[in-house]
C-alpha cells in the first residue's frame, strides 16, 4: 500500500472528506488530493497533526512495521500451544 493509499484509507475510516481533513489541518483540499494520488507528499511538519487526526501512530501512518509486535505475538502463540 502506498503512502497516499494509507492517507485515503485512514481518512475514510475516520469519516473525513478531503475537504474536512484539509480544513482541520489548515491546508488546501488540493493538497490532500495530491497526497492521496501520489503527486506530492505532506511536509514533515504536518505528519504528527495528520496522524493524530487520522487516529494512527506516525509509524503506522508511514507503513513502518514494528517487528517487536510480531515477536511478541509469536512468543504468545508458542506459549499458548504448549498449554
Amino acid at each position: 500500500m502506498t503512502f497516499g493509499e494509507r492517507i485515503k484509507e485512514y481518512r475514510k475510516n475516520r469519516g473525513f472528506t478531503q475537504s474536512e481533513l484539509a480544513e482541520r489541518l489548515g491546508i488546501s483540499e488540493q493538497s490532500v488530493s495530491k497526497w492521496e494520488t501520489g503527486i506530492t507528499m505532506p511536509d514533515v511538519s504536518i505528519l504528527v497533526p495528520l496522524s493524530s487526526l487520522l487516529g494512527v501512530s506516525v509509524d503506522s501512518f508511514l507503513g513502518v512495521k514494528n517487528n517487536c509486535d510480531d515477536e511478541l505475538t509469536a512468543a504468545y502463540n508458542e506459549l499458548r500451544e504448549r498449554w
Side-chain angles (χ1 to χ4, degrees):
M1 181 177 284
T2 68
F3 186 79
E5 290 168 338
R6 279 191 296 279
I7 292 173
K8 186 175 184 177
E9 180 181 315
Y10 293 140
R11 174 181 60 77
K12 286 186 171 191
N13 287 344
R14 296 290 286 198
F16 292 127
T17 65
Q18 287 181 345
S19 179
E20 290 169 332
L21 182 60
E23 183 178 329
R24 289 176 182 244
L25 292 170
I27 60 172
S28 71
E29 182 179 343
Q30 290 79 10
S31 292
V32 176
S33 177
K34 287 179 181 180
W35 298 343
E36 291 183 0
T37 57
I39 295 171
T40 63
M41 299 285 279
D43 186 83
V44 172
S45 66
I46 209 159
L47 289 179
V48 171
L50 179 59
S51 64
S52 179
L53 279 171
L54 297 178
V56 297
S57 70
V58 173
D59 284 351
S60 296
F61 189 67
L62 293 174
V64 175
K65 189 169 183 173
N66 189 341
N67 291 333
C68 181
D69 289 343
D70 291 342
E71 292 170 11
L72 288 173
T73 300
Y76 170 78
N77 288 336
E78 183 180 330
L79 287 172
R80 196 179 73 190
E81 288 175 11
R82 290 181 185 180
W83 287 74

